[in-house]
């Protein structure tokens, strides 16, 4: 429908041009005299140029977008160059160049410029995006428009050229300090953590989600009429499972930035890390280490979105079976709620090691309600750590304290 209206508009403007020529010529013929013929001959070049523009083959233009690189960090500058080439020397009064791209996080940025080509066959237009936002940005088309000086005749063409750039979330350099859980006493920093040594069984206990099938003690299960697993001796590990809160909130970008910073710090320390997020899709990355894991997780964080459908407490309720008991579960959110504390407390009672990081704005603290919830969480063996934007490196200093 829009294309049909544009076509009708161009036809109407062309008809209007012929009408104006006829009217000016008729005026000169019937009125006579120097003034009327001067008006006709003055208007005639503009009219003829308009007719030539109407027949000009704008499709013969070659349009190319040049981007220096395709991966950026948030708030970095991006330089884009549009190169226009044509075969003829036909004078063009103006050309409007419009280039735009949209982001996976909903933002749209546009570069627009009016150029005066004249007889030139090659033109370049450069523009700069000062601060890129996190996300995957997609360029899809370049729009050109030419016209006559009176604006009576306009021709336009859309050139399809798809380019994608990825903007990683901003991060801060920080030092990761592993956490150790002391039940009913909160969490403290430690250079080591615990995991099961499956070479030596020291007892039995009830089966819990995440226990391996090979750990089941069938004789004890038959005697007690309940599924029982072997209890193993403990040894040290640094495995971390990060659960990101994707609920829509103005501090969501801070949550993503802190998560990226923590992942880099954990992997730099030589530990292993996994990630669980539920936005429009459910995504889980198994606990692993190395450079490839870092690239995989940061790529995911670059594209992650917010959601109104599910809270972090609901994610924990639905995905608790995916959390490994021998790994520290790190919850990263911008809202400390009673539902979240209750669910984290339930996991803590099942011998999961839980740490909650609450991200606030610069120089902002926890609300009075959140402070009350924090004290309640500590009594249930959960460490709640407040982190302000721009001060991420202090997160684990607080843990050590």
């Amino acid at each position: 429908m829009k294309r049909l209206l544009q076509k009708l508009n161009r036809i109407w403007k062309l008809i209007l041009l012929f009408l104006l020529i006829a009217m000016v010529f008729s005026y000169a013929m019937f009125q006579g005299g120097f003034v009327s013929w001067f008006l006709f001959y003055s208007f005639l070049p503009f009219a003829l140029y308009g007719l030539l523009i109407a027949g000009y083959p704008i499709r013969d233009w070659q349009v190319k977008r040049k981007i220096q690189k395709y991966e950026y960090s948030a708030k970095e500058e991006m330089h884009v160059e549009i190169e226009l080439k044509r075969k003829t020397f036909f004078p063009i009064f103006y050309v409007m160049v419009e280039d735009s791209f949209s982001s996976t996080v909903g933002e749209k940025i546009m570069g627009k410029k009016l150029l005066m080509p004249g007889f030139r066959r090659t033109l370049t237009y450069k523009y700069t995006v000062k601060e890129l936002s996190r996300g995957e940005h997609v360029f899809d088309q370049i729009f050109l428009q030419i016209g006559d000086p009176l604006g009576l005749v306009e021709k336009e063409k859309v050139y399809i050229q798809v380019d994608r750039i990825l903007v990683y979330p901003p991060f801060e350099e920080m030092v990761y300090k592993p956490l150790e859980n002391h039940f009913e006493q909160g969490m403290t920093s430690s250079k080591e953590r615990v995991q099961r040594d499956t070479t030596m069984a020291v007892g039995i206990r009830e089966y819990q989600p995440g226990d391996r099938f090979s750990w089941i003690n069938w004789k004890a299960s038959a005697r007690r009429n309940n599924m029982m697993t072997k209890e193993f001796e403990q040894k040290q590990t640094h495995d971390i499972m990060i659960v990101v809160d994707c609920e829509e909130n103005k501090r969501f970008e801070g949550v993503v930035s802190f998560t990226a910073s923590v992942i880099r710090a954990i992997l730099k320390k030589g530990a292993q890390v996994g990630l669980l997020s539920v936005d429009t899709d459910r995504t889980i990355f198994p606990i692993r280490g190395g450079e490839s894991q870092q690239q995989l997780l940061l790529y995911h964080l670059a594209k992650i979105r917010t959601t109104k459908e599910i809270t972090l407490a609901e994610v924990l309720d639905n995905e608790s079976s995916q959390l490994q008991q021998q790994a520290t579960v790190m919850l990263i959110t911008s809202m400390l709620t009673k539902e979240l504390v209750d669910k984290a407390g339930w996991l803590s009672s099942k011998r999961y090691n839980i740490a909650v990081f609450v991200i606030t704005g610069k120089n902002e603290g926890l609300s009075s309600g959140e402070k009350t919830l924090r004290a309640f969480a500590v009594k249930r063996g959960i460490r709640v750590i407040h982190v302000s934007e721009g001060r991420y490196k202090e997160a684990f200093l607080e843990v050590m304290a």
Side-chain angles (χ1 to χ4, degrees):
M1 185 66 182
K2 184 179 179 180
R3 186 173 296 179
L4 177 62
L5 291 175
Q6 290 176 344
K7 188 174 182 179
L8 291 175
N9 185 51
R10 288 196 295 269
I11 294 174
W12 162 247
K13 286 187 174 182
L14 193 60
I15 294 173
L16 180 62
L17 179 60
F18 279 109
L19 287 175
L20 287 174
I21 295 174
M23 289 172 61
V24 175
F25 179 72
S26 299
Y27 176 74
M29 288 291 293
F30 289 101
Q31 181 70 21
F34 173 79
V35 174
S36 57
W37 283 106
F38 177 80
L39 181 63
F40 171 73
Y41 285 115
S42 299
F43 176 71
L44 190 60
F46 293 97
L48 292 176
Y49 182 76
L51 293 175
L52 290 174
I53 286 291
Y56 180 80
I58 190 175
R59 62 181 178 275
D60 290 340
W61 284 61
Q62 296 179 358
V63 181
K64 187 177 182 181
R65 181 192 300 111
K66 297 179 181 178
I67 302 175
Q68 293 180 350
K69 58 181 182 178
Y70 293 88
E71 290 187 352
Y72 295 83
S73 296
K75 300 184 179 181
E76 190 176 351
E77 284 189 352
M78 178 182 66
H79 302 281
V80 182
E81 179 179 330
I82 307 295
E83 185 179 71
L84 311 175
K85 290 184 178 180
R86 59 192 180 113
K87 298 178 181 179
T88 66
F89 286 98
F90 180 79
I92 301 296
F93 179 69
Y94 78 87
V95 57
M96 177 72 72
V97 186
E98 186 177 304
D99 187 28
S100 61
F101 63 90
S102 57
S103 169
T104 54
V105 295
E107 184 179 6
K108 186 170 183 178
I109 300 177
M110 184 180 299
K112 193 172 182 179
K113 182 72 172 181
L114 181 67
L115 303 175
M116 303 292 185
F119 291 94
R120 288 178 293 170
R121 293 194 300 172
T122 302
L123 299 170
T124 58
Y125 160 50
K126 298 180 181 180
Y127 69 93
T128 301
V129 181
K130 293 294 185 181
E131 292 189 357
L132 285 169
S133 59
R134 177 189 63 83
E136 184 180 35
H137 303 274
V138 181
F139 297 85
D140 52 3
Q141 61 188 25
I142 302 172
F143 174 80
L144 291 189
Q145 183 185 71
I146 62 174
D148 67 309
L150 299 180
L152 295 175
V153 179
E154 294 176 345
K155 296 194 72 173
E156 55 193 39
K157 173 73 175 176
V158 175
Y159 294 84
I160 304 299
Q161 183 180 339
V162 179
D163 290 301
R164 297 175 183 271
I165 66 168
L166 189 67
V167 182
Y168 292 103
F171 59 88
E172 293 183 22
E173 293 295 340
M174 56 193 300
V175 178
Y176 168 68
K177 298 293 182 182
L179 301 172
E180 179 182 63
N181 190 68
H182 295 293
F183 294 102
E184 298 180 359
Q185 295 178 6
M187 303 188 76
T188 60
S189 74
S190 171
K191 295 182 179 179
E192 298 181 307
R193 261 217 16 89
V194 297
Q195 76 171 9
R196 304 186 187 284
D197 182 358
T198 57
T199 61
M200 183 177 297
V202 294
I204 59 173
R205 59 170 173 78
E206 290 185 4
Y207 175 84
Q208 295 179 358
D211 288 345
R212 297 179 185 175
F213 186 75
S214 60
W215 293 353
I216 298 176
N217 188 318
W218 296 106
K219 291 182 180 180
S221 299
R223 286 196 304 267
R224 301 192 182 190
N225 197 27
N226 193 15
M227 196 68 73
M228 306 297 294
T229 60
K230 300 172 186 177
E231 183 75 47
F232 297 102
E233 196 170 325
Q234 313 255 317
K235 66 178 185 180
Q236 305 299 319
T237 183
H238 296 305
D239 291 352
I240 304 292
M241 173 56 77
I242 295 176
V243 184
V244 183
D245 184 5
C246 296
E247 187 176 1
E248 187 172 352
N249 187 275
K250 64 179 181 179
R251 299 300 177 197
F252 179 69
E253 291 302 318
V255 169
V256 176
S257 177
F258 179 74
T259 304
S261 303
V262 168
I263 287 172
R264 286 172 52 88
I266 291 173
L267 294 175
K268 188 176 181 180
K269 189 76 173 179
Q272 298 189 110
V273 64
L275 182 70
L276 170 63
S277 69
V278 181
D279 48 15
T280 52
D281 299 307
R282 172 189 176 276
T283 308
I284 184 168
F285 297 91
I287 296 174
R288 290 179 186 150
E291 183 67 25
S292 60
Q293 178 76 342
Q294 176 172 302
Q295 290 298 322
L296 194 63
L297 297 183
L298 291 182
Y299 178 80
H300 174 69
L301 290 175
K303 301 171 66 175
I304 196 171
R305 302 183 183 185
T306 61
T307 180
K308 296 180 179 178
E309 303 298 325
I310 190 168
T311 65
L312 183 56
E314 293 171 335
V315 171
L316 293 179
D317 190 41
N318 298 335
E319 306 292 339
S320 58
S321 60
Q322 302 297 324
L323 305 177
Q324 298 182 18
Q325 198 175 41
Q326 64 270 27
T328 295
V329 179
M330 190 178 291
L331 310 178
I332 302 180
T333 181
S334 59
M335 299 178 290
L336 189 62
T337 63
K338 186 178 185 302
E339 292 77 12
L340 176 59
V341 171
D342 288 342
K343 190 59 189 179
W346 180 83
L347 290 173
S348 180
S349 69
K350 298 296 181 181
R351 303 185 68 83
Y352 285 89
N353 302 330
I354 309 293
V356 183
F357 290 81
V358 184
I359 314 302
T360 63
K362 291 183 179 179
N363 302 320
E364 289 184 8
L366 298 177
S367 66
S368 58
E370 288 176 324
K371 289 179 180 178
T372 302
L373 289 172
R374 180 181 186 178
F376 179 65
V378 170
K379 292 180 180 179
R380 302 188 65 176
I382 307 164
R383 184 64 181 266
V384 178
I385 303 157
H386 166 239
V387 184
S388 297
E389 288 186 25
R391 304 177 66 178
Y392 297 157
K393 64 182 64 178
E394 299 178 9
F396 292 98
L397 294 179
E398 179 179 343
V399 171
M400 292 179 66

